[in-house]
């Protein structure tokens, strides 16, 4: 079986950098710069995950509660009212104001002069 | 034309049509606020002139009077336009209302012309002449505005009346698909008659509005005498709606 040998200098350099960890230094430097942002994002994700987990567990664990109605209380059954397509017109008429004057006439002086006012 | 052009055009149309109405109100608000500021300044200049009638004080007072008159008449023109829009926005081709709207247009033009004329005031004599002419001419147009304020309320009631006619027609077509009892037919006939009665009241109110006797009424009495009639018509329309809705709920969905 032929022995597999790498002779390419670029490949050799890559392997050496990989083994020594030099390849990862720029990435590690960037991570160190933004580490607090990454930690915050991680914490938020963890919080959301635990919140969703808790909500899921709560929903599954809720037991149906049965309580009979009080004997002396009346059950009032309100019939569901079907609306009419003419309700909106009725509401428009109801909301219409018959007050006058509306709009109010602006208070304007029709006699702009430089005469002394006689009282 | 592809849909991606049609939809924006339709949206733009509705925006423009509603914004035209909104602009007549906002134009009036703007002019009125300018008038209030201008008028209070004029009062100060007038006081200075009356206290010390120097030529300089006179000139300042005249300039301020000229500016105030200009803004006053622009305010009146804007208000007239606003009241007219309140009538015409109901889209009713009803001759008495059309006539009132035309009168308002004439008044609006009068006030715009006065605003332009005020710019030619230079001397005290010019101011006095302008004022004397104005005091004779403006009353008729102010009356037109007062009529317009009541007419726009009547226009709205007339609009409701038209909508009620359409509603009754649509209910009739819904009910006619099945055989209805005589009682229901009688109720529909009654509704139709009530509509005519309300329509007559509206016509009467409009005719009375433009009568000479009514136009001679001044002050708050002019308005207060109309409120009861407007309220009565509105109450009749509401009662009518209750009867219509009752019919619709009981027979309209058969």
């Amino acid at each position: 079986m032929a022995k597999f040998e790498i002779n390419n200098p670029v490949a050799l350099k890559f392997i050496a950098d990989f083994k020594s960890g030099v390849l990862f230094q720029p990435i590690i430097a960037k991570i160190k710069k933004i580490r607090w942002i990454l930690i915050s994002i991680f914490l938020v994700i963890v919080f959301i995950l635990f919140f969703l987990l808790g909500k899921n567990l709560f929903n599954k664990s809720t037991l149906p509660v049965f309580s009979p109605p009080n004997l002396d209380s009346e059950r009032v059954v309100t019939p569901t009212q079907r609306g009419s397509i003419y309700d909106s017109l009725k509401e428009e008429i109801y909301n219409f104001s018959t007050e006058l004057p509306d709009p109010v006439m602006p208070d304007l002086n029709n006699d702009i002069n430089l005469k002394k006012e006689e009282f | 034309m592809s849909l991606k052009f049609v939809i924006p055009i339709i949206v733009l149309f509705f925006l423009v049509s509603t914004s035209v109405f909104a602009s007549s109100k906002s134009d009036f608000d703007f002019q009125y606020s300018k008038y209030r500021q201008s008028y209070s300044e004029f009062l100060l200049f007038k006081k200075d002139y009356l206290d010390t009638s120097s030529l300089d004080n006179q000139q300042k007072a005249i300039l301020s009077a000229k500016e105030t008159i200009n803004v006053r008449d622009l305010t009146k023109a804007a208000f007239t336009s606003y009241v007219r829009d309140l009538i015409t926005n109901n889209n009713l081709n009803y001759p008495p209302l059309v006539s009132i709207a035309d009168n308002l247009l004439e008044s609006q033009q009068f006030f715009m012309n006065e605003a332009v004329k005020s710019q030619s005031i230079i001397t005290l004599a010019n101011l006095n002449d302008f004022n004397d002419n104005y005091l004779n001419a403006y009353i008729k147009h102010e009356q037109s505005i007062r009529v317009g304020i009541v007419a726009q309320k009547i226009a709205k009631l007339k609009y409701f009346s038209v909508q009620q006619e359409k509603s009754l027609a649509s209910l009739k077509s819904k009910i006619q698909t099945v055989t209805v009892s005589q009682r229901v037919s009688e109720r529909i006939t009654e509704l139709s008659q009530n509509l005519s009665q309300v329509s007559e009241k509206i016509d009467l109110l409009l005719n009375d509005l433009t009568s000479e006797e009514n136009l001679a009424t001044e002050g708050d009495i002019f308005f207060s005498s109309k409120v009861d009639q407007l309220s009565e018509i509105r109450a009749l329309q509401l009662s009518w709606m209750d009867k219509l809705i009752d019919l619709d709920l009981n027979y309209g969905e058969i």
Side-chain angles (χ1 to χ4, degrees):
Chain A
M1 200 163 119
K3 200 178 168 192
F4 182 70
E5 248 182 59
I6 299 169
N7 297 318
N8 186 323
V10 174
L12 283 169
K13 186 180 181 304
F14 178 81
I15 292 165
D17 286 347
F18 185 85
K19 279 182 180 170
S20 65
V22 167
L23 202 67
F24 303 108
Q25 278 174 5
I27 299 166
I28 291 166
K30 271 195 182 148
I31 289 171
K32 276 185 181 169
K33 247 186 174 176
I34 60 166
R35 68 179 182 278
W36 289 114
I37 298 169
L38 291 172
I39 289 167
S40 307
I41 292 170
F42 174 73
L43 287 173
V44 168
I45 291 169
V46 165
F47 173 76
I48 291 170
L49 281 173
F50 275 102
F51 176 79
L52 290 172
L53 182 67
K55 194 175 172 203
N56 201 24
L57 287 171
F58 173 76
N59 287 340
K60 281 183 180 168
S61 70
T62 313
L63 294 169
V65 176
F66 173 74
S67 74
N70 295 331
L71 288 170
D72 54 346
S73 67
E74 281 181 36
R75 272 189 74 211
V76 178
V77 179
T78 46
T80 47
Q81 287 222 315
R82 182 170 55 86
S84 163
I85 58 168
Y86 308 112
D87 284 337
S88 58
L89 176 57
K90 181 184 169 182
E91 197 180 337
E92 214 186 327
I93 299 171
Y94 181 79
N95 291 334
F96 173 67
S97 168
T98 54
E99 289 303 308
L100 284 170
D102 174 33
V104 176
M105 284 189 70
D107 180 24
L108 303 165
N109 189 343
N110 295 302
D111 190 3
I112 306 284
N113 62 60
L114 295 183
K115 298 169 188 168
K116 222 169 207 158
E117 304 296 330
E118 287 168 28
F119 296 102
Chain B
M1 195 185 275
S2 70
L3 208 60
K4 65 178 177 182
F5 293 117
V6 168
I7 291 169
I9 288 169
I10 292 169
V11 167
L12 198 64
F13 169 76
F14 280 110
L15 280 174
V16 167
S17 57
T18 51
S19 67
V20 164
F21 176 66
S23 75
S24 65
K25 172 72 168 68
S26 53
D27 185 33
F28 160 64
D29 289 336
F30 172 71
Q31 294 296 346
Y32 193 26
S33 70
K34 274 183 72 179
Y35 165 81
R36 286 196 292 257
Q37 187 183 346
S38 195
Y39 184 64
S40 53
E41 284 170 8
F42 162 71
L43 290 176
L44 292 171
F45 283 120
K46 180 176 175 178
K47 185 181 180 305
D48 286 344
Y49 167 67
L50 292 174
D51 290 344
T52 315
S53 53
S54 65
L55 199 62
D56 186 50
N57 280 352
Q58 188 192 70
Q59 279 307 304
K60 284 178 183 171
I62 290 172
L63 275 170
S64 181
K66 174 177 156 176
E67 171 60 26
T68 305
I69 288 169
N70 175 255
V71 180
R72 176 197 65 195
D73 291 330
L74 287 175
T75 304
K76 285 197 182 187
F79 185 72
T80 310
S81 172
Y82 172 47
V83 172
R84 186 171 176 273
D85 284 349
L86 286 170
I87 297 173
T88 59
N89 279 347
N90 293 296
N91 296 317
L92 300 165
N93 191 13
Y94 187 51
L97 287 172
V98 169
S99 168
I100 291 172
D102 288 344
N103 289 341
L104 284 170
L105 190 62
E106 193 189 308
S107 297
Q108 181 186 345
Q109 203 52 55
F110 166 79
F111 290 120
M112 291 295 290
N113 291 344
E114 291 299 301
V116 168
K117 268 166 58 179
S118 70
Q119 298 308 292
S120 60
I121 296 171
I122 300 170
T123 64
L124 190 55
N126 293 154
L127 176 62
N128 291 336
D129 286 342
F130 179 94
N131 218 33
D132 291 340
N133 292 331
Y134 187 83
L135 288 172
N136 286 329
Y138 88 94
I139 293 171
K140 167 190 155 187
H141 298 286
E142 285 237 330
Q143 230 164 32
S144 180
I145 296 173
R146 282 160 57 218
V147 166
I149 289 172
V150 180
Q152 55 92 16
K153 292 286 187 186
I154 301 173
K156 200 67 189 177
L157 291 175
K158 185 71 184 172
Y159 166 80
F160 290 147
S161 203
V162 168
Q163 295 307 307
Q164 285 177 324
E165 279 172 24
K166 290 179 182 172
S167 303
L168 184 60
S170 82
L171 182 65
K172 265 190 204 171
S173 62
K174 271 204 284 185
I175 288 177
Q176 270 165 8
T177 55
V178 293
T179 314
V180 295
S181 67
Q182 192 182 342
R183 176 70 191 127
V184 171
S185 298
E186 281 171 4
R187 285 174 71 179
I188 292 174
T189 309
E190 185 193 338
L191 280 178
S192 196
Q193 286 168 349
N194 290 158
L195 263 185
S196 305
Q197 285 163 3
V198 168
S199 213
E200 275 171 26
K201 284 188 184 290
I202 292 173
D203 291 346
L204 212 64
L205 184 54
L206 259 178
N207 289 337
D208 178 53
L209 185 63
T210 49
S211 70
E212 278 191 27
E213 185 191 324
N214 194 53
L215 289 173
T217 321
E218 288 186 7
D220 290 337
I221 300 170
F222 176 82
F223 290 120
S224 58
S225 64
K226 306 290 172 293
V227 172
D228 287 342
Q229 294 171 76
L230 291 170
S231 301
E232 186 199 347
I233 294 171
R234 179 177 157 273
L236 286 170
Q237 288 181 328
L238 275 173
S239 162
W240 190 96
M241 286 307 302
D242 285 336
K243 291 176 192 171
L244 181 85
I245 289 169
D246 182 62
L247 265 178
D248 181 41
L249 292 175
N250 287 307
Y251 303 101
E253 293 294 316
I254 293 170

